[in-house]
Amino acid sequence: MAASWVAALKLVPWGDVIEATPQILQAAKKLLGTTQKGNAEAATAALDGAVGEPAIPVALQLQHLRDRVAQLEREQQESAMLIQSLAEQHAQVVQAVEVQRRRQQWLTVAVSMLAVACAGLLVWVLTQ
């Protein structure tokens, strides 16, 4: 069983995975950082607007909201690209594992047939 996993891992294009890993990690960190930063800014803006009268003019609040929506849209697009990249890598791994599963089945059949043939040969030799 361990040999099949090793063989499956050999089929994965590790060069591509390793090459893409820093980009994916950087994108994930950037996405996490902008999301946390954006959440802090949104919370601050909500508190400023919630206490009594607005601290900034309505036009500036509207511009701030537009900027925030644009930022959220960019983050959503970055998230979608990251998810797509991870999904493609996942599909490659699944495909490699499926190939290995089929090979393991054929190998199991071949080994079983050899075992039966060896047992038959042994019986034939012992009866001679």
Side-chain angles (χ1 to χ4, degrees):
M1 187 72 166
S4 65
W5 281 105
V6 171
L9 292 175
K10 286 181 182 178
L11 288 178
V12 175
W14 289 110
D16 295 341
V17 173
I18 291 170
E19 184 179 313
T21 300
Q23 296 167 349
I24 292 171
L25 183 61
Q26 183 182 14
K29 286 181 180 179
K30 180 181 174 187
L31 183 62
L32 182 62
T34 56
T35 303
Q36 289 174 346
K37 178 183 170 187
N39 288 341
E41 290 174 355
T44 302
L47 287 175
D48 288 345
V51 178
E53 298 188 24
I56 54 177
V58 174
L60 289 177
Q61 287 179 353
L62 183 59
Q63 184 60 41
H64 173 73
L65 291 176
R66 286 182 181 152
D67 292 343
R68 180 73 176 132
V69 167
Q71 178 188 5
L72 290 173
E73 287 175 350
R74 281 192 306 273
E75 289 176 10
Q76 183 180 12
Q77 288 174 348
E78 290 173 1
S79 296
M81 291 187 319
L82 179 62
I83 290 169
Q84 180 182 1
S85 175
L86 291 173
E88 289 170 358
Q89 289 181 9
H90 178 72
Q92 290 175 349
V93 170
V94 168
Q95 184 179 13
V97 169
E98 180 61 24
V99 167
Q100 287 304 313
R101 187 187 65 79
R102 281 192 229 123
R103 287 182 181 173
Q104 180 187 12
Q105 287 176 341
W106 281 106
L107 185 60
T108 301
V109 169
V111 167
S112 299
M113 290 172 61
L114 283 173
V116 169
C118 287
L121 183 61
L122 182 63
V123 169
W124 181 74
V125 167
L126 291 176
T127 57
Q128 291 294 327

